[in-house]
Amino acid sequence: MDIFQHISTLVRGELHLDDTTRQRYAVDGSIFEITPAAVLAPKDAADIQAVAHLLWTMAENGKEVPALVPRGAGSDQAGGPLGAGIVLDMRAHMNQILEIGEDFVRCEPGVRYGELQDVLKARGRYLPPYPASLELCTIGGAVANNASGEKTVKYGDTRDYVESLKVVLANGDEITVKAMTKAEIEGKTHRYSLEGKIYRELARLLATHTRDESRPKFHVTKNSTGYAIWEVEHRGMFNLAKLFVGSQGTLGIITEITLRTELLPKETALIGGYFDSIDKAAEAVEELLVLGPSALEIVDRNLLELVESRQPGHLEGLIPAQMPEIVLIVEFDDHNDRNRTGKGKAAKTILKHYAYAHKEAEGPAEQERLWKLRRSAAAVIWTVDGPEKALPIVEDGIVPAALLPEFFRRAYALFAKYELKIAVWGHAGDANLHMQPFMNLSDPAHREKIWPFVEDFHRLVIEMGGCISAEHNDGLLRSPYLKAQYGEELYRLFRQVKHMFDPHEIMNPGKKVDVAIERIQQLVRHSYGLDHLVKDRELINR
């Protein structure tokens, strides 16, 4: 009996070995392609436990085994859910909302983010760190990547909202991780299990390496690169869930998630500012941030012109006759009417000083139209015809907020150096910019540009004291550059963490550590498309 026949006898979910299914899971939102050996749609955590235990036992006996690669909707732009082993389709069955409390929600990882958000909003609650892809992505994917979005400037990222997780470890044991006291952790360390071993070794590692002098000195508001080992110990508590968030399934498979929710704002104030230079926009950003906005988003002229060329009339009434170089959209969602109104008035005063025009959106319908300036970016990028596609290869850099103008100028210069078209949008309040060059993966000249361009961009971001990924995580794309981001000593620490949890490389290997640039260069597709996501969106919108 081969390994897949054995697995089929252990699980209640469906195991797919046919070429058609395997090819469907060979791509995600990234530029990479890896055909898995099999696709398993686990019925529940017990299925994952059974397979992990089998693989661990075989590996312990010196046998080579396929890895487990968890996958949500496949919207990841860095190749996180791609692998040559067994892809676990968490959406198929593990997609239930299990409990909704007064200020929390408990669910399985395959729940679609947008679906959960709708259910919460009906109860007057919501999850603020939602990503732009919420209508497609899963909650599990958001947790795996430590996703964030337009509200992060005020509310923080996904890691800030995770209360507890259930996780299947590499040996098949399922554990619960949450904030624990030192006394509770002491009890864990005496267990003769993989969990006990992890707690013992991790406690020793953290005691040596997480003092202030060893923490990375990134002056940015969010960071999804590497492992968040510096978040585990806080105010006398030890919380392993903080480490699993953003680990992309490389330390264990998340099977259940409990998240804290927030009270849904009943009203918001929304204002758009139109600028003739990035410097004026940046000065406005600095003053607007003092007001505590719930969102502070940015769109550049290149993207506006792309939207206008693709969808004539789409921006009618949303921008002045003079095409702006930069548009800022600022939102306030304070529950106190007086506070919200006062901040809106203060924001308009700031915009009058720096912007050549501004527009306040009155009422939900008009606000939704103004948000189109920002939210239509991804949708328009997806619909560009022809062989040149907007490639997500440098789409998530973040720098210190004060360096926003320099980030723009240096990014524009880099795109000009490589003769690439650019469109920029993102989170001005965090200086986290999304930019995707238009390239043709079937053109050898374009393929030759990819890696020199990526390396130059990452060098630029690191030189500016920033991080190469704020919210999209490492995946295949950025893992080879983590050593440059963190340095040799901290990179070795990441390798120790990975080996501690997964000594046999069962859990989504080829991400985070020990990823060679030469390896991922061989995995680049020869054409780029998002057909699997487009089909999902069509199904959702029916």
Side-chain angles (χ1 to χ4, degrees):
M1 181 184 295
D2 71 16
I3 189 169
F4 297 117
Q5 287 178 312
H6 194 166
I7 288 173
S8 68
T9 68
L10 296 175
V11 300
R12 295 192 301 133
E14 301 81 32
L15 181 67
H16 303 280
L17 301 171
D18 61 286
D19 289 343
T20 301
T21 303
R22 290 165 55 233
Q23 286 301 316
R24 191 161 65 243
Y25 289 81
V27 297
D28 61 355
S30 74
I31 63 170
F32 303 107
E33 181 173 1
I34 306 176
T35 304
V39 176
L40 172 63
K43 206 77 168 178
D44 50 25
D47 275 0
I48 300 173
Q49 288 183 264
V51 177
H53 179 70
L54 170 66
L55 300 180
W56 175 276
T57 302
M58 293 176 66
E60 288 276 276
N61 289 319
K63 296 182 180 178
E64 188 174 334
V65 297
L68 296 179
V69 184
R71 179 182 173 112
S75 58
D76 190 295
Q77 295 186 310
L82 301 182
I86 303 170
V87 167
L88 302 175
D89 182 356
M90 308 300 280
R91 289 188 308 169
H93 303 297
M94 299 184 69
N95 56 17
Q96 299 301 303
I97 301 172
L98 303 172
E99 181 183 5
I100 299 179
E102 185 177 337
D103 62 353
F104 73 92
V105 61
R106 186 168 59 89
C107 66
E108 293 179 312
V111 173
R112 185 169 58 84
Y113 206 124
E115 175 192 352
L116 179 59
Q117 197 80 298
D118 289 343
V119 171
L120 290 174
K121 284 183 175 181
R123 295 169 177 248
R125 308 290 294 184
Y126 81 126
L127 292 168
Y130 60 85
S133 60
L134 85 161
E135 292 302 339
L136 292 170
C137 73
T138 62
I139 290 292
V143 171
N145 283 344
N146 188 32
S148 56
E150 62 197 34
K151 304 285 190 187
T152 295
V153 67
K154 178 177 179 178
Y155 291 101
D157 53 29
T158 298
R159 184 175 286 116
D160 296 319
Y161 289 82
V162 172
E163 294 289 297
S164 67
L165 300 170
K166 286 187 178 180
V167 183
V168 173
L169 298 177
N171 70 342
D173 291 346
E174 185 180 49
I175 66 171
T176 298
V177 289
K178 59 183 180 179
M180 296 181 182
T181 65
K182 288 186 177 180
E184 289 174 313
I185 296 302
E186 182 69 19
K188 296 276 189 184
T189 60
H190 290 105
R191 294 182 179 179
Y192 291 98
S193 62
L194 179 58
E195 180 188 23
K197 181 174 182 286
I198 288 169
Y199 275 107
R200 287 193 299 275
E201 293 186 2
L202 189 60
R204 285 198 295 268
L205 209 60
L206 295 182
T208 307
H209 292 281
T210 58
R211 301 186 186 95
D212 287 342
E213 62 268 22
S214 69
R215 296 173 72 97
K217 305 297 191 294
F218 305 134
H219 300 292
V220 294
T221 56
K222 52 185 178 177
N223 174 19
S224 65
T225 63
Y227 290 121
I229 57 174
W230 297 273
E231 304 294 331
V232 173
E233 289 185 301
H234 184 62
R235 295 181 179 176
M237 302 296 284
F238 194 100
N239 190 348
L240 207 54
K242 298 289 187 182
L243 181 59
F244 278 104
V245 177
S247 64
Q248 295 198 298
T250 61
L251 306 180
I253 309 297
I254 294 169
T255 56
E256 187 180 298
I257 302 162
T258 302
L259 297 146
R260 176 171 56 87
T261 63
E262 291 280 351
L263 183 64
L264 182 68
K266 292 182 179 178
E267 293 185 38
T268 61
L270 188 68
I271 309 148
Y274 307 91
F275 299 81
D276 55 21
S277 76
I278 179 57
D279 292 292
K280 290 180 181 178
E283 290 183 85
V285 166
E286 187 175 354
E287 294 188 24
L288 289 167
L289 280 171
V290 176
L291 301 176
S294 52
L296 185 49
E297 298 292 281
I298 196 167
V299 175
D300 82 338
R301 179 181 186 133
N302 296 305
L303 183 58
L304 294 175
E305 290 179 342
L306 176 63
V307 171
E308 190 61 34
S309 67
R310 295 292 303 167
Q311 299 180 2
H314 185 76
L315 302 179
E316 186 176 347
L318 297 178
I319 56 174
Q322 175 191 341
M323 177 68 77
E325 292 298 321
I326 294 290
V327 175
L328 286 181
I329 297 175
V330 57
E331 179 194 77
F332 301 96
D333 69 351
D334 301 63
H335 295 283
N336 183 288
D337 291 344
R338 179 178 294 182
N339 289 349
R340 186 179 63 253
T341 301
K343 289 181 178 182
K345 288 181 179 178
K348 284 186 284 186
T349 300
I350 293 169
L351 293 175
K352 283 179 183 177
H353 183 68
Y354 294 106
Y356 69 82
H358 71 275
K359 174 185 179 67
E360 182 173 14
E362 302 281 359
E366 192 172 344
Q367 289 185 356
E368 185 60 32
R369 273 185 48 77
L370 183 56
W371 267 120
K372 282 186 178 181
L373 281 175
R374 166 65 177 89
R375 292 172 176 164
S376 62
V380 171
I381 290 286
W382 282 4
T383 61
V384 172
D385 295 326
E388 289 192 4
K389 302 294 184 182
L391 299 186
I393 55 177
V394 295
E395 86 296 344
D396 197 33
I398 183 171
V399 300
L403 301 181
L404 182 62
E406 182 184 349
F407 193 17
F408 260 96
R409 283 192 288 271
R410 292 183 68 176
Y412 283 156
L414 185 61
F415 274 70
K417 172 186 173 181
Y418 285 92
E419 300 179 329
L420 296 170
K421 292 185 292 183
I422 184 175
V424 179
W425 68 98
H427 313 296
D430 298 297
N432 171 207
L433 300 182
H434 304 314
M435 49 189 87
Q436 297 185 358
F438 288 85
M439 304 180 77
N440 179 2
L441 286 182
S442 64
D443 185 338
H446 280 206
R447 293 176 73 88
E448 287 179 7
K449 289 182 180 181
I450 291 176
W451 301 111
F453 171 66
V454 167
E455 188 168 334
D456 279 354
F457 181 82
H458 289 165
R459 185 182 299 112
L460 180 162
V461 170
I462 294 169
E463 284 176 359
M464 294 181 68
C467 294
I468 58 179
S469 180
E471 58 189 23
H472 296 169
N473 219 284
D474 302 311
L476 291 163
L477 181 62
R478 283 174 281 268
S479 292
Y481 302 96
L482 286 185
K483 190 180 295 183
Q485 177 79 79
Y486 285 94
E488 290 278 356
E489 183 179 352
L490 295 183
Y491 185 76
R492 282 197 299 271
L493 182 60
F494 290 162
R495 294 186 73 219
Q496 286 178 270
V497 170
K498 168 64 174 175
H499 185 75
M500 183 188 307
F501 282 82
D502 185 26
H504 299 303
E505 295 283 314
I506 292 170
M507 297 289 163
N508 200 12
K511 321 296 178 338
K512 299 288 186 184
V513 296
D514 298 326
V515 187
I517 186 66
E518 295 79 13
R519 156 72 174 156
I520 69 169
Q521 287 174 346
Q522 298 171 6
L523 303 175
V524 176
R525 305 194 223 175
H526 285 275
S527 65
Y528 183 73
L530 296 169
D531 292 346
H532 66 294
L533 295 179
V534 172
K535 289 175 183 176
D536 281 352
R537 173 167 288 196
E538 290 171 352
L539 289 172
I540 291 166
N541 291 334
R542 282 181 183 175

